[in-house]
Amino acid sequence: KEKALELGLDVYQPQRVKETEFIEKLKEMNPDAIVVIAFGQILPKAILDMPKYGCINVHASLLPKYRGAAPIQWSVIDGEKETGVTTMYMNEGLDTGDIIDKVVVPIDKKETGGSLFDKLAIEGGKLILKTLIELENGTAVRTPQDDSKSNYAGMINKQLGKIDFNKSANEIERLIRGLNPWPSAYTNYMDKKMKVWKTKVLNEKSSKEPGTILKVDQEGIKVATKDNVILISEIQMPNKKRMEVKEFIKGNTLEVGNVLQ
């Protein structure tokens, strides 16, 4: 939007894409193609049938895997090794249209939801330009999706960020990365919300109750989980900025034996 305004292009922001006035405005424009990116509404048939080259969606996964609202975060949370961007013809379903093109993007071991967003934005920009050229010169392919291989990446909410230390250390570590920067993962220390920003799975075990603080030092906070010990190295307490644990403990105490809830 900012770039469109900078270039003197018209910007319309209807509350609902099904508004009659907006549909009429689109008809007046007589678009060759409509491109949809991260748009949380289903386009009505009146719009889908409008452009000569169709309505094209840029979706941040390798469809049919991770259809839905939050494919980027879930690919990190689920421990995928790679994801990507898909361009597809839109239909009246949710990310179910025929595929035009894809680009694969590897997921780094320390990838966060935010860093993956940035990577996929760049790749998606390149891919939609390539796709539009192919549509115009008639070389775009059309591959139906295999619905049997699809899964759904549901919406992300703040409640999802509550850390369950009864899960494995790897699951917890991935959740924290996937929900960074929003909505962020958190736990409670002595009834205070503690956001957790950075962790590492250690090659250590503990028989203590999951969530128990085992040790606090310059490295961070060692916490028991269902299996391996997890090291929390960056946190954020209420009304405070993000900081490394080694900085936080200079003026604050975190009691060993306390159970993070």
Side-chain angles (χ1 to χ4, degrees), residues 23-227:
I23 293 174
E24 290 304 313
K25 180 66 72 176
L26 279 179
K27 280 182 184 172
E28 285 175 28
M29 293 178 186
N30 190 26
D32 288 327
I34 291 175
V35 176
V36 176
I37 305 172
F39 189 64
Q41 299 179 41
I42 301 283
L43 298 191
K45 196 169 189 314
I47 293 178
L48 291 172
D49 293 343
M50 201 180 291
K52 176 167 68 170
Y53 297 115
C55 292
I56 311 303
N57 184 25
V58 184
H59 185 76
S61 82
L62 298 173
L63 289 171
K65 201 167 190 178
Y66 292 108
R67 293 173 178 172
I72 299 174
Q73 294 98 325
W74 281 112
S75 64
V76 175
I77 293 168
D78 290 347
E80 295 291 333
K81 298 291 189 290
E82 63 181 24
T83 184
V85 182
T86 304
T87 49
M88 52 170 273
Y89 290 100
M90 295 180 71
N91 59 20
E92 291 177 274
L94 181 65
D95 303 326
T96 55
D98 292 348
I99 292 166
I100 304 170
D101 208 346
K102 289 182 181 182
V103 61
V104 176
V105 175
I107 297 177
D108 188 79
K109 287 182 179 178
K110 290 298 175 186
E111 201 83 69
T112 66
S115 65
L116 191 54
F117 259 96
D118 293 342
K119 285 182 183 178
L120 295 176
I122 292 167
E123 294 303 325
K126 295 176 190 173
L127 188 66
I128 187 57
L129 292 177
K130 178 172 177 274
T131 297
L132 288 169
I133 290 166
E134 290 169 350
L135 287 167
E136 191 172 29
N137 63 26
T139 59
V141 297
R142 192 167 194 137
T143 307
Q145 292 190 45
D146 183 347
D147 291 340
S148 69
K149 293 181 179 177
S150 74
N151 62 349
Y152 179 66
M155 290 181 73
I156 297 290
N157 57 42
K158 291 183 179 180
Q159 289 70 39
L160 185 67
K162 181 76 166 23
I163 298 169
D164 179 2
F165 287 98
N166 289 292
K167 291 189 173 180
S168 72
N170 280 316
E171 286 177 287
I172 294 166
E173 190 267 346
R174 294 197 308 260
L175 178 77
I176 290 161
R177 286 191 288 111
L179 300 184
N180 178 351
W182 189 91
S184 74
Y186 67 93
T187 185
N188 291 299
Y189 173 75
M190 298 184 75
D191 296 326
K192 288 185 179 177
K193 186 175 183 178
M194 176 196 284
K195 288 187 178 181
V196 180
W197 291 109
K198 198 176 288 184
T199 59
K200 179 183 178 183
V201 177
L202 302 179
N203 190 24
E204 297 178 24
K205 307 278 186 183
S206 172
S207 59
K208 296 283 188 183
E209 177 188 351
T212 301
I213 296 176
L214 306 170
K215 187 177 181 182
V216 181
D217 59 17
Q218 292 293 306
E219 282 190 286
I221 311 162
K222 288 186 177 181
V223 183
T225 73
K226 169 183 158 185
D227 50 21

